[in-house]
Amino acid sequence: MIEICPLADLPAGEAKRVLVPPHPPIAVFHTEDGAVYALDDTCTHQDASLADGWVEDCRVECPLHASTFDLRTGGVDQPPAKVGVRAHAVTVQDGTIYVELSDETPNLPPGVSYGASA
Amino acid sequence: MTDTVATPSLIKTLPGAAYTDPAYFTAEQAAIFETMWFCVVRSADIPDPGSYRTVQVGRESLIISRARDKSVKAFLNVCKHRGARLCTDEQGQVQRSFQCPYHAWTYGLDGKLIAAPNLTKMPDIDRVEFGLTSLPVREWLGYVWVCLADEPPSFEDSVQQDIVDRLGDLDSISHYDVADLALGKRIVYDVAANWKLIIENFMECYHCATIHPELTEVLPEFADGYAAQYFVGHGAEFGPDVKGFTVDGSEGLDKIPTVADDQDRRYYAITVRPQVFVNLVPDHVIIHRMFPLAADRTVVECDWLYLPSVVEAGKDVTASVELFHRVNSQDFDACERTQLGMSSRSYREGGVLVPSEHHIGAFHDWVTSMVGTPRQEA
Ligand code: FES
Ligand code: FES
Ligand SMILES: [Fe+2]
């Protein structure tokens, strides 16, 4: 479990990019209706930060091109991104956000890598 | 200073080159259009967050848009990456950002750089510094005004002073409630003439009896050649049989209720330098915005504004619009005809102003004080 930040530091409607080396950075979203989700931050199409994207109805739209990702599953709806991002389990305990990183292999865009090879 | 010629009745105009020389036009763009407050769009043209219009001001293309907090923004229409023009349409609606079509640098409605490919790898990029360049904006009379100067002049001492100089005070225009009127009609004229010819034409009425038969019927005093703009605080009175400011003198639309009794049945005209004309009559307001594009080309957007209740009820404004549409067409034809003579050897030193046009000399003095004296072509 990784401690992210107090919930109060991430207002509803906002997202933040969190570095979790040696893993790829993650994006943590606090939606307008109060839920908290975490995805890999890097879009699978090109190197863009999903934390800079737009959240609407449980999906985040990549800020660069039109693909959107499901905040619950990481699934992608339409090109140009062809594969989803990983979703990470989130818990909020005593007002603090924690994330349990997925152990799947991340789907990073061409030319982007993290960890030992980065 | 204004030159007089041997005959005291006559004052010299600017030389022909002031109306044809591309270098002089560029100097005017730099010294006038890029230094003064410039009226760009009606606020209601960009009603919602993400609505935008693009306009040409001086040598720059601008995006005028509304941000998420509903405030109006003006940006240079240039990507901070490698300079691509962001928006090429004259108007449109973006959902949440302006995105450059070249490498997808993406700017928020507040101008900040939101995203770009590989941006997270370049944490040293400041998102404000590399956001769009914003310009100062004012809203007045229901219009958006922008200024390209590093230090904009006081709006009160420039735009509003031109109104005061003509009407005597700002109260007189506030009676027309211009900001809250609604657009009944807009006509855009693409005029093959220098912007100064359009201003000079608007300032004088020596031509009225010759080219404006309908207007002279409605405002008989215009036949004497002295324009509303010759005097301070004077509005030309409607003829005794005229019911309204319409093409045939028929009844106009509902009167703007706050118009004062001494403003009733009168027409007032104001030039707000460098590119706006305001026309006031009891039941509507006509605003011209000029966009000078070249020494011999000016686009004029003309708005007819009425009480919102008139526009919402779909009342017939045809006879009302037709009067000034004819005036515009007659004037712009005259300006285009004049533009043809500007490059002639017979106009090398310019023409002359008769006494009822002498106040145009002050406009010429102002232009040369801003831009410098035009060279006389050999
Ligand atoms: S970078 Fe995300 S869709 Fe292209
Ligand atoms: S020029 Fe606009 S993103 Fe490259
Ligand atoms: Fe005229």
Side-chain angles (χ1 to χ4, degrees), chain A residues 47 52 54 56 61 64, chain B residues 96 99 114 118 121 127:
Chain A
D47 180 13
D52 287 333
W54 293 280
E56 220 176 282
E61 181 181 330
L64 289 191
Chain B
R96 19 194 175 218
Q99 186 173 61
I114 300 177
N118 309 333
K121 299 267 165 40
R127 294 183 179 216

Side-chain angles (χ1 to χ4, degrees), chain B residues 201-202 204-205 207-208 211-212 215 327 330-331:
Chain B
N201 169 79
F202 189 71
E204 55 95 354
C205 210
H207 65 270
C208 289
I211 73 171
H212 298 318
L215 183 65
V327 171
Q330 292 155 346
D331 279 334

Side-chain angles (χ1 to χ4, degrees), chain A residues 31-109:
Chain A
T31 64
E32 296 286 1
D33 41 11
V36 183
Y37 300 100
L39 302 177
D40 279 343
D41 183 53
T42 311
C43 182
T44 60
H45 172 234
Q46 194 180 10
D47 180 13
S49 165
L50 294 181
D52 287 333
W54 293 280
V55 174
E56 220 176 282
D57 301 336
C58 241
R59 302 195 73 86
V60 58
E61 181 181 330
C62 173
L64 289 191
H65 310 112
S67 298
T68 77
F69 299 87
D70 191 310
L71 293 176
R72 294 157 302 192
T73 65
V76 66
D77 67 335
Q78 60 169 346
K82 294 201 181 68
V83 291
V85 290
R86 298 182 305 172
H88 309 286
V90 174
T91 46
V92 178
Q93 265 170 34
D94 301 328
T96 300
I97 304 171
Y98 297 90
V99 167
E100 182 71 55
L101 288 183
S102 156
D103 51 17
E104 288 165 38
T105 314
N107 296 314
L108 294 171

Side-chain angles (χ1 to χ4, degrees), chain B residues 79-84 86 100-105 107:
Chain B
C79 181
K80 277 294 183 71
H81 174 220
R82 280 179 40 219
L86 283 177
C100 179
Y102 194 178
H103 312 90
W105 278 36
Y107 305 91

